Amino acid sequence: MEKKEKTINYVLGVLLLFSFVFLVGQNMSVMTGYATSGTTTSNVTISKYLAIAFSDDLSSGIQFGTVNTLPATNVNATENYAGGSSETLYYINVSNDGNTPIDICIGANDPLTSSALDVIGVGNETYANSTSTTSTIPLVGNEVALTESYVKSGDAVAVGSQNYYRFWLDIPAIQPSGDYNNTLSFKGVSTGLACGAI
């Protein structure tokens, strides 16, 4: 009987060893560090955000004052040289929280018109602009006539900076007396885009 028990123990030992080897072999992929991998994409679209704000003096309107003698050429708007060192106080701020430079567009709705419907041609109202200002910048020699449609008046003005303006008016000798008004419009567009209609 003892031989029979030894044989059974031997067979059970072999089976146990075989089972252990088989179990370890089956789990080798876990034990040897095999891994799988894959890829995927991520995506985001950031919209352009832009905003402009007028200086207080530009918001208050462009005043040419009272003109007593005609003809008059290059009549200065009242705030053209009103800064501490004769800088202009007419400017547009490009918002600090924007994320793109902008082009600024300017246009007049109509000629300067009196209550009697007399007009001063829109081309008689001129402006010059610059991204800086001194006693000579923007310069009257760089003036451009206003039109009744939007035109670019500042290109690629950086976020957090300003576009400065000066305005002038030419009045012919035969112009009837009266108070004349029109409205100027400004628009900021992403650099390179067209201004569009007023």
Side-chain angles (χ1 to χ4, degrees):
M1 235 10 224
E2 198 170 291
K3 191 174 184 180
K4 198 175 185 183
E5 281 181 17
K6 281 184 180 181
T7 305
I8 291 175
N9 284 341
Y10 177 73
V11 171
L12 287 176
V14 170
L15 283 174
L16 184 61
L17 181 62
F18 180 74
S19 296
F20 179 74
V21 169
F22 182 73
L23 182 64
V24 169
Q26 289 287 51
N27 291 313
M28 283 302 278
S29 63
V30 174
M31 294 170 66
T32 59
Y34 289 130
T36 60
S37 65
T39 61
T40 188
T41 60
S42 60
N43 188 334
V44 63
T45 300
I46 299 174
S47 298
K48 290 183 178 180
Y49 172 75
L50 49 111
I52 61 173
F54 289 4
S55 66
D56 290 341
D57 294 287
L58 187 56
S59 290
S60 296
I62 301 159
Q63 307 296 324
F64 293 101
T66 300
V67 177
N68 296 317
T69 305
L70 298 179
T73 303
N74 288 332
V75 175
N76 276 302
T78 56
E79 304 305 318
N80 273 2
Y81 299 93
S85 296
S86 297
E87 300 95 350
T88 181
L89 295 179
Y90 298 122
Y91 58 89
I92 292 177
N93 283 312
V94 178
S95 177
N96 274 325
D97 60 357
N99 64 1
T100 185
I102 67 169
D103 294 346
I104 298 177
C105 306
I106 185 174
N109 68 325
D110 285 310
L112 286 157
T113 306
S114 72
S115 58
L117 301 182
D118 295 312
V119 299
I120 300 172
V122 71
N124 289 32
E125 195 172 3
T126 59
Y127 71 93
N129 67 287
S130 176
T131 54
S132 63
T133 184
T134 66
S135 61
T136 58
I137 299 173
L139 182 63
V140 67
N142 296 335
E143 65 187 313
V144 177
L146 284 169
T147 66
E148 290 183 52
S149 59
Y150 276 124
V151 295
K152 297 270 178 106
S153 66
D155 295 323
V157 182
V159 170
S161 63
Q162 293 77 35
N163 201 39
Y164 295 91
Y165 290 85
R166 284 196 170 109
F167 300 92
W168 298 275
L169 182 63
D170 294 341
I171 307 171
I174 58 170
Q175 193 67 43
S177 62
D179 293 327
Y180 291 78
N181 299 288
N182 69 352
T183 300
L184 301 189
S185 295
F186 296 83
K187 183 195 308 189
V189 296
S190 292
T191 295
L193 293 182
C195 289
I198 290 183

